[in-house]
Amino acid sequence: MRYFTKQQGQKEAVPVDLEPLGNDLYKLTVNGQTYQVDALMLEHGTMTMLVDGQSYSVEFEENGDEVGVLLRGQVSRFDVADERRLRLRAGSAAFSVEGKQLVTAPMPGKVVKVLVKVGDEVKEGQGLVVVEAMKMENELKSPKAGKVTELFAKEGTAVENNAKLVVVE
Amino acid sequence: MRYFTKQQGQKEAVPVDLEPLGNDLYKLTVNGQTYQVDALMLEHGTMTMLVDGQSYSVEFEENGDEVGVLLRGQVSRFDVADERRLRLRAGSAAFSVEGKQLVTAPMPGKVVKVLVKVGDEVKEGQGLVVVEAMKMENELKSPKAGKVTELFAKEGTAVENNAKLVVVE
Amino acid sequence: MPKIRKVLVANRGEIAIRVMRTCKELGIATAAVYSEADRAALHVRTADQAFFVGPPPSRESYLVQQRIIDAAKQAGADAIHPGYGFLSENASFVRACEAAGITFIGPPASAMDAMGEKTRARANMIKAGVPVVPGTTEPIATLEEARVYAEKIGFPVMLKAAGGGGGKGMRKVERGGDFDSSWRAAKSEAMNAFGNDAVYIEKYLEKPHHVEIQVFADQYGNTIHLNERECSAQRRHQKVVEETPSPILTPEMRAKMGEVAVKAAKAVNYVGAGTVEFLVDVHRNFYFLEMNTRLQVEHPVTEWVTGLDLVAMQIRAAEGEKLALTHAPEPRGHSIEVRVYAEDPARNFMPSPGRITYLRVPGGPNVRDDSGVFPGYTVPNFYDPMISKLSVWAPTRAEAIARAQRALSEYVVKGITTNIRYLKAILAHPEFIAGDYDTSFLTREHETLLGKEDPKLTEMALLASAVHAYQRDQKRAKSLPTAAGPGGGNGGVSPWKLALRRR
Amino acid sequence: MPKIRKVLVANRGEIAIRVMRTCKELGIATAAVYSEADRAALHVRTADQAFFVGPPPSRESYLVQQRIIDAAKQAGADAIHPGYGFLSENASFVRACEAAGITFIGPPASAMDAMGEKTRARANMIKAGVPVVPGTTEPIATLEEARVYAEKIGFPVMLKAAGGGGGKGMRKVERGGDFDSSWRAAKSEAMNAFGNDAVYIEKYLEKPHHVEIQVFADQYGNTIHLNERECSAQRRHQKVVEETPSPILTPEMRAKMGEVAVKAAKAVNYVGAGTVEFLVDVHRNFYFLEMNTRLQVEHPVTEWVTGLDLVAMQIRAAEGEKLALTHAPEPRGHSIEVRVYAEDPARNFMPSPGRITYLRVPGGPNVRDDSGVFPGYTVPNFYDPMISKLSVWAPTRAEAIARAQRALSEYVVKGITTNIRYLKAILAHPEFIAGDYDTSFLTREHETLLGKEDPKLTEMALLASAVHAYQRDQKRAKSLPTAAGPGGGNGGVSPWKLALRRR
C-alpha cells in the first residue's frame, strides 16, 4: 500500500510503502530505506513505536487533512493520502502551494481589519486579514503570490478556529 | 419528571423530581426539600455543580445500570431510572436484593475455586467463588440467602471484569 | 485581629487555584468568582463556593469592585485575596474592602498609592535613598551644567532629545573627553530633527539584567527580603523564564540589593508580600525600576529555595501575625520556572486559545506544576494565555536546567499550540546555560530559539504519520457498512468520498 | 571506572520511570524491557530503547536473567539498574552481570549473600555487634539457664513452644518474679499441645514501630546514613504510608540508630543505597529486622528532606565516584508518602486492575507524584497493584499531613477502584496525627478507617445522579432518529427498550 506524505512547508509529497504484517508490525519503505516498525496505537491519539529497538512515544493531533506528529519534542505536520485519495484531490491541488490557497483563522478571535478586497493582486507574505485574540493582533499573510478570489472575513465579526477567511488563487 | 434513585446498599429507591429550567439550571426536589441546581456537564464524566452557592466538583463513573458519584472525596453509587424505565424493569427486580441476584467478577482475574453448585442453598454472606488477581485470592459472597440457579464460573478459567459468575435466587 | 476563616479569591486560572490550595491546607474555606466565560474553569470547582460576577470581558466582571465585594459578602468571606493582575494593585479596591469590613490580603492602600505611578514611585525612592536609573528627566540648560551632571552619574551616558522618540536624537557618550562635542552635536541634531534643541541626560545601562527582590513585611514594621529572582529572559516585557539564585549575583550583591529593597518597602510602610524590581547593568550597578505590590507570578522559585509558602505568609500577615523570620533564609539549591503559554512561537507568538484535548503533566522528583487547566477545558480568548507555570528545584543550577528539560519533555498538551519547544530551546541555549543573559537575550536570539528540524526525527515522524493514516483509513473503512474490510476493496460508495463528505 | 553512558532498567512501572527520569537528567541513555502485558506501559515509552523479554508472568520475563542480560547487550548498555523487587536482590544475577561485563547498579553479590537469608543476616549482625531481637532461637534445657537468659534480655519476655505455631503455646512473662511458674506452665502446656515440651525465649516487643535507616556507601568503604523513615502504617506487612523524620525519634536516637545501621552496612562491605530495618519498642529499644539491599519504594521521603537524588547517587557510586557527603544531612522539614493502590479497601483490599479511563494528578507546591500510569492505560493483573506514590514536603509534620490531604483530594482516578479515601482516613486518624502509631495501627483501626458516609454529601451525590440520569436520557433520546426530543414523547420505539437492547 502506497501513501504520499506531504510535510507542511515542503512542496513535494514523499511516497511511503506500507505493508501491515499483523500484530501491530509494519514494513515501511521510504526514500529507499526499509524499516520494521512495531507501532501500537493507544487512546487519545498516542502511539508507542519501536523502530530497530529505538522507542518513540508519538502524539498525534488531527487538524483537518493534516496530522501533527509530536515525537521527542519535535512537531512535524503531514498530510497523508493513499493513491486513490490523491486522485480525488488532484483537482483541488491541496498538495501544493500552487493553485488555490485557502487562508483560515488559526484561532478563535475577532477580525479587526481586512487588508484586501476581491480581485486584488497580492504578493507572497503580504498581509490579508488581522485577527485579534487574547488582546494581541495577528496579521495573516498570503501563502503565495496571486489574486484574491474569495473573501469571507468581515471586519468586526467573531470567527471560530479554522474559519475560512480569504482564498488566494 | 420523576426519577427513582436507589443507592447501593439501600433497599428503597428515593424519588427525585427534576425540572430542567434551561441554561444548565435544574429544580430538584428530594425528601420534601427543593434545590436550585446549576449543573454543567464537562467532558470525561465530570460535572461542576453549584447548589446554593456551594461548589461541588462531581465525577461520574458508569458501571452498567449504576453510576458511581465521587463528590468531595466520598463515593456513592446510584441506580437511577425514570418511571417508564422502572416499569420495564419491574419484572427483573433489579432494584432490590429481593429476587434474582447476579454475582459478577469485580475485576479481571482467574477463577481458582468454585464453592457451590447449581441447586445449593446458600446463606447471605456465604462464599460462592474465589477469584485470583494480582496474586491475591478474593472470595465472592452471596448477596442474599437463596438457591444457586445458574453457575457460569469454571475453575481455572480467566474472567473479564463484570463477567457473570453465579445467579442466586 | 481574628483568624481568617473564609477567603474569597478575586481571580481566576492558576493563581486562584494556587491561593486555594494553601487555604485548603490551612483549613480556610474558599469562595471563587467567575465570569460567563469561566463557568467551566477549574478554579470554580476547586473552591468551596462560587459566585457569578458578569460577562467575559474583565472590565465587566473581574474588575467590577462592587460585584467582587458583593460576592464576598454573600459568601460570608472575611478576607479577599486578589492574586496578581485584575484588582491586586488597585488602591481604591483596597479602600472599598476596608469600607465593607473585609480584610484585603495585601499591602495598605497608601503603599499602593506611593508605588502605583512610576514618577511618583521614582520620587519616593530617591527621597528614601534608593538608587534609580540616574537621569535629569528635565532638559539641561547649559553645557557646563550638563557636563557636571554627566560626570556625576558616570559614563557612559545617553543624550536624548526631549522632543524626540523612537530612538531618534539619541547619542551615547562613552567618556568625558567626548562630552562637549557630543552635546553640541546632539543639540544640533535635535534642532534639525524636531525643531527643538532641548536635550536631557540619562545613565546608559549596558546589557541590563532584570533582577527583583522579594520582600515581606508584617503589620508591625518588621520587614525582610527573601532573596532575588533573575527575570531577564523576557519577550516584550513578558517574563518567560525565571530563576533563583540569579547566576550573576554574589552574596555581597544579594545582601546589598536586599537591604535596598527592604529600605524601599519600609519607605512606603509596606505590609505583606511585595517585589522590588531592579535593573542591573554590566558593571553590576543596580537601579530601582518599580515595585509590584502583590504576589508575583514567579513566586514559586522563591518558595523552592526558601521552603516558605508565600501565600500562607500573606494570610498570616493579614491576620496580624508577627513575622516569624528575622532575616532572609540562605538560598538552598537552585530553582527555575518556565511559563507554558497557549501561543505559537513560530507564528510571532500568536495566541492559541482553544480546547485542550489531552494533557499529560510532568511528575517525579522536585517538579511543580501550577496550572488551571484540565483535559476537555477550553482556554478562553479573553484572558492571559498562560496555561501553566512549571518550576523545578535541584541542588545546582546545571542540575536544575537538566531537570527542567526533563520535565518539559514529559509535558504533553494537545488541541492547542504551546511554547514548550521554545522553552526547551531557551534552556538549551549556550547564553542561558552560561548564566549571563540580559533582557535582550530572547529578542536577539529569536531565530536560534525557534530551532531547527532534526531530519532523523522528521523521518520517524513521517513513518508514524503513515501508520496513522493507515489505521485511520482502516477505521473509516470499518465504520462504513458497504466497505470491504481491511485492505480496501472497491464495491459500493468509496470510503474516501464519504469521508470527504462528512467534513 | 568509566562513566555510565547507557542504563538498562530491569524493571517496570513507576520505579522504572523514576530511574529513567534521573538518567535523562544526567544525560544517560536508557533502555527498557517489557513483557507481553507491558507493550503499552509507560516505561516503554519513557525509555530511549525497549526490548521484549517474554510472556506476562514475571518468572517468564522480568525474572529471566539471561533475557535481561541479552537485552542489555543488544542495547549496548554498560549498566543495569534493577529497581526494587524482581532481580534487585538476587546475588546470582549480580554475578551474571559481572560475568557479562555489565555494571550492576547496586551492592556486590557478597553483601547480598550476607544479608539475603534471615538467619544468616541475624548471625552476621550479632557478630558485628548490631542489636537483634533477643532470643535463643534454640530451646533452653534448664529453668536456671532460662531464668538467667530472661534476666539478661530483660522483661517482658515471650516463652514460645518450639513445636508450636500460630500463636499457640505462647506465654508472656511480665517480670522476674513470675518467671519460674510461667516457665513450668509453658512447658507443660507445650507438652500437652504438641507432645514436646521444648520452650525457647524471645524478647517481647511492646507496640513495635517499623523504623528504617537509609544507608549509603561508596566503593571505598565510606559509609553514611541518611536518616530514618517511619513505616509503621502497614497492612499485612505491606507499607501504606511512610514518613520522615519519624515522629517518635529524638536526635539522639537518630544518631544511635544511624550509627548502628552504618555498622551493619560496613560489616557486609556494602556499596550503594541500602536500608536497614529496625523494630523499635515502646521503651525505644531498637532491634535489627533485616536489610534491604536495594533502593526502597519509599525513598522519595528521604529525598525530600535531604535534597539528594538517591538514584543519581547510586549511579555515581557504581561509576566509582567517591561519596560527596561525610555524614547524614540534618533532616529539613517533614515528608510523607502515601501509596495509591488499585484496590478496594471496603472489599478486603481486593485488587482492582482494569482500564484507567480518566486521571487527574495533584499539583501545586511541594507535591510529588511518582507514577507509571496514564489515562487509557490498563493496569494489568500480573503485577503489583500500586499505581502511584504520592509524596509531599512541608516545614512541619502537621503541615505535611494537611498538604498530603490536600493533594489526595485533587487525585482523581476513574475506571478502577483505588484506596485514595482510605489513605485520607489514615491521615485524618487521631492516632496517626498524634504520631505514635505502631505496626498494629491499620489492622486495629480497620473499621474506623473505612469511614462513614456524610449524609449531606450523599444527598448532593443523589442530586448529581439525577441530573446525570436526565442528561444521559436526553442524549439517548437524541441519538435515536424516532425520538421526540427533550422531554420524551412516545412515538416509535421506546428509547429505553433500545437502550436496554444495546447492552
Side-chain angles (χ1 to χ4, degrees):
Chain A
M1 184 160 236
R2 172 160 284 200
Y3 280 99
F4 295 87
T5 63
K6 186 176 141 331
Q7 195 186 352
Q8 197 186 63
Q10 303 289 325
K11 302 223 166 184
E12 292 298 317
V14 176
V16 183
D17 291 311
L18 179 147
E19 187 187 333
L21 308 173
N23 274 328
D24 303 310
L25 289 179
Y26 301 86
K27 201 172 110 186
L28 286 161
T29 307
V30 61
N31 298 330
Q33 174 120 27
T34 296
Y35 298 94
Q36 179 100 356
V37 175
D38 176 346
L40 174 64
M41 195 67 80
L42 308 174
E43 288 183 40
H44 305 291
T46 300
M47 188 171 85
T48 166
M49 180 169 86
L50 302 179
V51 185
D52 300 329
Q54 288 290 312
S55 173
Y56 299 94
S57 185
V58 186
E59 301 288 345
F60 294 109
E61 227 181 304
E62 291 187 48
N63 193 3
D65 280 330
E66 255 183 24
V67 64
V69 183
L70 168 67
L71 182 152
R72 295 203 181 165
Q74 180 173 306
V75 180
S76 327
R77 290 187 173 83
F78 296 94
D79 189 346
V80 185
D82 65 6
E83 290 176 89
R84 196 189 308 152
R85 195 178 196 182
L86 206 60
R87 254 179 276 127
L88 272 169
R89 283 204 194 166
S92 74
F95 252 50
S96 123
V97 278
E98 315 303 319
K100 201 165 150 179
Q101 290 294 313
L102 175 66
V103 177
T104 57
M107 71 220 145
K110 206 172 98 177
V111 175
V112 292
K113 222 169 276 174
V114 177
L115 304 165
V116 291
K117 52 186 192 306
V118 173
D120 280 6
E121 294 284 341
V122 292
K123 282 182 273 191
E124 185 181 332
Q126 184 177 331
L128 303 173
V129 175
V130 180
V131 175
E132 187 194 81
M134 286 170 167
K135 295 170 201 154
M136 263 190 64
E137 296 200 348
N138 305 286
E139 193 177 279
L140 305 181
K141 299 180 170 72
S142 178
K144 60 172 276 186
K147 191 191 253 183
V148 175
T149 56
E150 290 180 81
L151 186 60
F152 307 98
K154 261 194 196 131
E155 281 185 17
T157 57
V159 288
E160 286 304 299
N161 191 15
N162 280 327
K164 294 176 184 183
L165 299 175
V166 186
V167 174
V168 179
E169 207 163 337
Chain B
M1 182 160 239
R2 172 160 284 199
Y3 280 99
F4 294 89
T5 62
K6 185 177 138 340
Q7 195 187 349
Q8 199 187 60
Q10 303 291 323
K11 302 222 166 184
E12 291 299 316
V14 176
V16 183
D17 291 311
L18 179 146
E19 186 186 335
L21 308 173
N23 274 328
D24 304 309
L25 289 178
Y26 301 87
K27 201 172 112 184
L28 286 160
T29 306
V30 60
N31 298 330
Q33 174 119 28
T34 296
Y35 298 93
Q36 179 99 357
V37 174
D38 177 346
L40 175 63
M41 195 66 81
L42 308 174
E43 288 182 41
H44 306 290
T46 299
M47 187 170 85
T48 166
M49 180 168 87
L50 302 178
V51 185
D52 301 328
Q54 288 289 311
S55 173
Y56 299 95
S57 187
V58 186
E59 302 288 346
F60 294 109
E61 228 181 302
E62 291 186 48
N63 193 3
D65 279 332
E66 254 183 23
V67 64
V69 184
L70 169 68
L71 182 150
R72 295 202 181 166
Q74 180 172 307
V75 180
S76 327
R77 290 186 173 85
F78 295 94
D79 189 346
V80 185
D82 64 5
E83 289 176 271
R84 196 189 309 151
R85 198 180 194 180
L86 207 59
R87 253 178 277 127
L88 271 168
R89 283 206 196 164
S92 75
F95 252 50
S96 124
V97 278
E98 314 304 319
K100 199 165 152 179
Q101 290 294 312
L102 175 65
V103 177
T104 58
M107 72 220 144
K110 207 172 98 178
V111 175
V112 292
K113 221 168 278 175
V114 178
L115 305 165
V116 291
K117 54 187 192 303
V118 173
D120 279 6
E121 294 285 341
V122 290
K123 280 181 272 188
E124 186 181 333
Q126 182 176 334
L128 303 172
V129 175
V130 180
V131 174
E132 187 195 78
M134 287 171 165
K135 295 170 203 154
M136 262 189 67
E137 296 200 347
N138 306 287
E139 193 177 278
L140 304 181
K141 299 180 168 72
S142 178
K144 59 172 277 187
K147 191 192 253 184
V148 175
T149 56
E150 289 180 79
L151 186 59
F152 307 98
K154 262 196 195 127
E155 279 185 20
T157 57
V159 288
E160 287 304 300
N161 192 13
N162 280 328
K164 293 177 184 182
L165 300 175
V166 185
V167 174
V168 179
E169 205 161 338
Chain C
M1 209 172 279
K3 288 274 174 198
I4 290 169
R5 292 158 301 110
K6 189 183 283 184
V7 170
L8 179 123
V9 182
N11 217 305
R12 62 178 302 285
E14 71 85 15
I15 192 62
I17 289 159
R18 163 71 192 89
V19 172
M20 290 173 194
R21 280 176 165 149
T22 283
C23 288
K24 189 155 206 172
E25 291 173 12
L26 295 176
I28 295 172
T30 54
V33 289
Y34 63 96
S35 75
E36 235 168 81
D38 275 342
R39 174 64 187 89
L42 190 59
H43 73 278
V44 173
R45 285 195 282 141
T46 304
D48 298 308
Q49 289 176 280
F51 299 91
F52 177 70
V53 289
S58 348
R59 65 180 178 283
E60 298 172 40
S61 48
Y62 295 112
L63 292 175
V64 182
Q65 302 189 12
Q66 197 51 52
R67 294 228 183 111
I68 303 294
I69 288 184
D70 287 348
K73 281 184 178 162
Q74 218 185 318
D78 34 30
I80 291 180
H81 193 299
Y84 52 71
F86 290 151
L87 295 169
S88 64
E89 299 187 271
N90 188 315
S92 89
F93 181 63
V94 179
R95 293 197 175 92
C97 288
E98 269 165 40
I102 296 168
T103 302
F104 176 84
I105 300 175
S110 57
M112 283 189 188
D113 283 337
M115 286 298 192
E117 203 259 310
K118 277 214 174 186
T119 57
R120 198 189 314 151
R122 185 180 158 97
N124 282 330
M125 289 302 99
I126 291 172
K127 206 161 60 183
V130 169
V132 299
V133 179
T136 55
T137 67
E138 296 292 320
I140 295 187
T142 69
L143 171 60
E144 281 65 40
E145 274 179 85
R147 195 197 307 112
V148 169
Y149 189 81
E151 274 157 7
K152 199 182 97 189
I153 65 175
F155 290 95
V157 299
M158 285 300 280
L159 305 181
K160 292 187 176 179
K168 274 195 177 166
M170 278 169 59
R171 184 168 278 254
K172 184 176 165 190
V173 192
E174 296 283 0
R175 62 192 78 78
D178 301 342
F179 188 79
D180 293 10
S181 62
S182 295
W183 175 259
R184 281 184 212 106
K187 280 190 94 73
S188 102
E189 257 177 43
M191 180 56 90
N192 288 337
F194 314 108
N196 172 358
D197 75 348
V199 166
Y200 67 94
I201 301 178
E202 208 174 64
K203 176 84 182 170
Y204 175 81
L205 294 192
E206 290 175 273
K207 297 187 165 189
H209 282 242
H210 176 121
V211 179
E212 59 187 30
I213 302 280
Q214 176 73 51
V215 295
F216 203 94
D218 64 18
Q219 296 181 9
Y220 315 102
N222 301 304
T223 310
I224 60 169
H225 76 89
L226 299 171
N227 307 316
E228 80 285 3
R229 291 182 289 259
E230 166 79 54
C231 310
S232 302
Q234 303 184 345
R235 197 178 57 71
R236 296 184 196 160
H237 298 281
Q238 172 79 279
K239 295 164 188 167
V240 181
V241 179
E242 300 102 339
E243 59 179 317
T244 188
S246 162
I248 64 160
L249 246 57
T250 59
E252 294 70 39
M253 268 189 82
R254 175 173 304 121
K256 223 161 74 181
M257 289 177 71
E259 200 182 299
V260 169
V262 167
K263 195 194 281 183
K266 283 195 166 188
V268 299
N269 297 313
Y270 200 79
V271 176
T275 295
V276 183
E277 298 189 332
F278 294 100
L279 285 179
V280 181
D281 70 11
V282 74
H283 309 292
R284 302 300 180 248
N285 300 309
F286 60 92
Y287 304 101
F288 174 84
L289 192 61
E290 62 173 323
M291 179 165 186
N292 294 324
T293 55
R294 49 156 168 94
L295 193 67
Q296 204 86 326
V297 177
E298 57 272 22
H299 74 277
V301 297
T302 297
E303 295 186 326
W304 271 121
V305 301
T306 60
L308 300 169
D309 180 333
L310 288 178
V311 174
M313 287 173 74
Q314 287 186 301
I315 292 171
R316 284 192 208 107
E319 287 176 335
E321 225 176 82
K322 232 187 114 201
L323 194 53
L325 295 165
T326 55
H327 62 274
E330 196 63 30
R332 175 176 162 279
H334 199 95
S335 177
I336 297 177
E337 173 183 283
V338 295
R339 300 191 188 187
V340 179
Y341 281 102
E343 64 181 19
D344 188 350
R347 293 203 278 181
N348 197 25
F349 298 95
M350 193 186 288
S352 162
R355 199 169 68 86
I356 295 176
T357 54
Y358 186 69
L359 180 68
R360 206 161 63 239
V361 168
N366 296 308
V367 169
R368 168 176 172 181
D369 183 61
D370 280 292
S371 153
V373 302
F374 55 89
Y377 176 67
T378 297
V379 180
N381 59 352
F382 296 100
Y383 313 109
D384 185 76
M386 188 171 77
I387 56 169
S388 164
K389 305 174 334 191
L390 179 68
S391 59
V392 302
W393 179 89
T396 64
R397 184 168 189 267
E399 290 166 293
I401 293 174
R403 183 157 286 162
Q405 287 281 22
R406 188 271 292 170
L408 279 170
S409 76
E410 295 179 8
Y411 223 125
V412 179
V413 186
K414 293 207 268 192
I416 58 175
T417 304
T418 71
N419 65 338
I420 288 174
R421 205 183 167 202
Y422 174 74
L423 293 171
K424 285 179 70 70
I426 293 173
L427 297 176
H429 194 288
E431 195 167 328
F432 184 84
I433 290 169
D436 192 356
Y437 54 99
D438 59 64
T439 53
S440 71
F441 167 50
L442 292 191
T443 313
R444 201 167 10 87
E445 294 297 315
H446 181 65
E447 281 306 313
T448 314
L449 294 172
L450 288 183
K452 279 194 195 66
E453 254 186 17
D454 175 336
K456 172 78 189 162
L457 292 185
T458 307
E459 181 144 312
M460 291 301 116
L462 189 151
L463 297 182
S465 75
V467 175
H468 178 266
Y470 172 76
Q471 297 205 352
R472 173 197 64 193
D473 297 352
Q474 290 293 309
K475 207 188 290 170
R476 283 182 185 162
K478 261 185 212 153
S479 71
L480 293 170
T482 50
N490 43 27
V493 186
S494 153
W496 295 124
K497 281 201 188 139
L498 270 176
L500 290 169
R501 246 186 249 156
R502 241 181 272 141
R503 293 267 162 73
Chain D
M1 208 173 281
K3 288 273 174 198
I4 290 169
R5 291 159 301 109
K6 189 184 281 184
V7 169
L8 180 124
V9 183
N11 216 306
R12 62 178 301 285
E14 71 85 15
I15 192 61
I17 288 160
R18 163 71 192 90
V19 172
M20 289 173 194
R21 279 175 167 149
T22 284
C23 288
K24 190 154 206 171
E25 291 173 13
L26 295 175
I28 295 173
T30 54
V33 289
Y34 63 97
S35 76
E36 235 169 84
D38 275 342
R39 174 65 187 90
L42 191 58
H43 74 279
V44 172
R45 287 194 281 141
T46 305
D48 299 307
Q49 289 176 280
F51 299 91
F52 176 71
V53 289
S58 346
R59 64 182 179 283
E60 298 172 37
S61 49
Y62 295 113
L63 291 176
V64 182
Q65 302 189 12
Q66 197 50 51
R67 294 229 182 111
I68 303 294
I69 289 185
D70 287 348
K73 282 185 177 161
Q74 217 185 319
D78 34 30
I80 290 180
H81 194 299
Y84 51 70
F86 291 151
L87 295 169
S88 64
E89 299 188 270
N90 187 316
S92 89
F93 181 63
V94 178
R95 293 197 176 93
C97 288
E98 269 166 38
I102 295 168
T103 302
F104 177 83
I105 300 177
S110 57
M112 283 188 188
D113 284 336
M115 287 297 192
E117 204 259 310
K118 278 214 174 185
T119 57
R120 198 187 316 148
R122 186 181 159 97
N124 283 328
M125 288 304 98
I126 291 171
K127 207 160 60 184
V130 168
V132 298
V133 178
T136 53
T137 69
E138 297 293 320
I140 295 187
T142 70
L143 169 63
E144 282 65 40
E145 274 179 85
R147 194 196 308 113
V148 169
Y149 189 81
E151 272 158 8
K152 199 181 93 191
I153 65 175
F155 289 93
V157 297
M158 286 300 282
L159 304 182
K160 292 188 176 177
K168 275 196 176 163
M170 279 169 58
R171 184 171 279 252
K172 184 175 164 192
V173 192
E174 296 283 359
R175 62 192 78 78
D178 302 342
F179 189 80
D180 294 9
S181 61
S182 295
W183 175 259
R184 280 183 211 109
K187 280 190 94 72
S188 101
E189 257 177 44
M191 180 56 89
N192 288 338
F194 314 108
N196 173 0
D197 76 346
V199 167
Y200 68 96
I201 301 179
E202 208 174 66
K203 176 85 183 166
Y204 176 81
L205 295 192
E206 289 176 273
K207 296 190 167 189
H209 283 243
H210 176 120
V211 178
E212 59 188 30
I213 302 278
Q214 176 72 52
V215 294
F216 203 92
D218 64 18
Q219 296 181 5
Y220 314 103
N222 301 306
T223 308
I224 61 171
H225 76 89
L226 299 170
N227 307 318
E228 80 284 4
R229 290 183 289 261
E230 167 79 52
C231 310
S232 302
Q234 303 184 346
R235 198 177 58 70
R236 296 183 196 162
H237 298 281
Q238 173 79 279
K239 296 165 186 167
V240 180
V241 178
E242 299 103 340
E243 59 178 318
T244 187
S246 163
I248 63 159
L249 246 56
T250 59
E252 294 69 39
M253 266 190 83
R254 175 173 304 119
K256 223 161 75 181
M257 289 177 73
E259 200 183 300
V260 170
V262 166
K263 195 193 282 182
K266 282 194 168 190
V268 299
N269 297 312
Y270 200 78
V271 177
T275 295
V276 183
E277 297 189 332
F278 293 100
L279 285 179
V280 181
D281 70 12
V282 75
H283 308 292
R284 301 303 180 246
N285 300 309
F286 60 92
Y287 304 100
F288 174 85
L289 192 61
E290 63 173 322
M291 179 166 187
N292 294 324
T293 55
R294 49 153 169 94
L295 192 68
Q296 204 86 327
V297 176
E298 57 271 24
H299 74 278
V301 296
T302 298
E303 295 186 326
W304 270 119
V305 301
T306 60
L308 300 169
D309 180 332
L310 288 178
V311 174
M313 287 173 74
Q314 286 186 302
I315 292 171
R316 284 193 208 105
E319 286 176 335
E321 227 177 81
K322 230 186 115 202
L323 195 53
L325 295 164
T326 55
H327 62 275
E330 196 62 32
R332 175 177 162 279
H334 199 94
S335 178
I336 297 177
E337 174 183 283
V338 294
R339 300 191 187 187
V340 179
Y341 282 101
E343 65 181 19
D344 187 350
R347 292 202 279 180
N348 197 23
F349 299 95
M350 194 188 286
S352 162
R355 199 168 69 85
I356 295 176
T357 54
Y358 185 69
L359 180 69
R360 207 161 65 239
V361 168
N366 297 308
V367 169
R368 169 177 172 181
D369 183 60
D370 281 291
S371 152
V373 303
F374 55 91
Y377 175 67
T378 297
V379 180
N381 60 352
F382 295 101
Y383 312 110
D384 184 77
M386 188 173 76
I387 57 169
S388 164
K389 303 174 335 191
L390 179 68
S391 60
V392 301
W393 178 90
T396 64
R397 183 168 188 267
E399 289 166 294
I401 293 174
R403 183 157 286 160
Q405 286 281 22
R406 188 270 293 170
L408 279 170
S409 75
E410 295 180 9
Y411 224 125
V412 179
V413 186
K414 292 206 267 190
I416 58 175
T417 304
T418 70
N419 64 339
I420 288 175
R421 204 182 168 203
Y422 174 74
L423 293 171
K424 285 178 70 68
I426 294 174
L427 297 177
H429 194 286
E431 194 167 328
F432 184 84
I433 290 170
D436 192 357
Y437 54 98
D438 59 65
T439 53
S440 71
F441 167 49
L442 293 191
T443 313
R444 201 167 10 88
E445 294 297 314
H446 182 65
E447 281 306 313
T448 314
L449 294 171
L450 288 182
K452 278 194 195 66
E453 254 187 18
D454 174 337
K456 172 78 188 160
L457 291 186
T458 306
E459 180 145 312
M460 291 302 115
L462 189 152
L463 296 182
S465 75
V467 175
H468 177 266
Y470 172 75
Q471 297 206 354
R472 173 197 65 192
D473 297 351
Q474 290 294 307
K475 206 189 288 169
R476 283 182 184 162
K478 260 185 212 152
S479 70
L480 293 170
T482 50
N490 42 28
V493 185
S494 153
W496 294 125
K497 281 200 186 141
L498 270 176
L500 289 169
R501 247 185 249 158
R502 241 181 272 143
R503 293 269 162 73

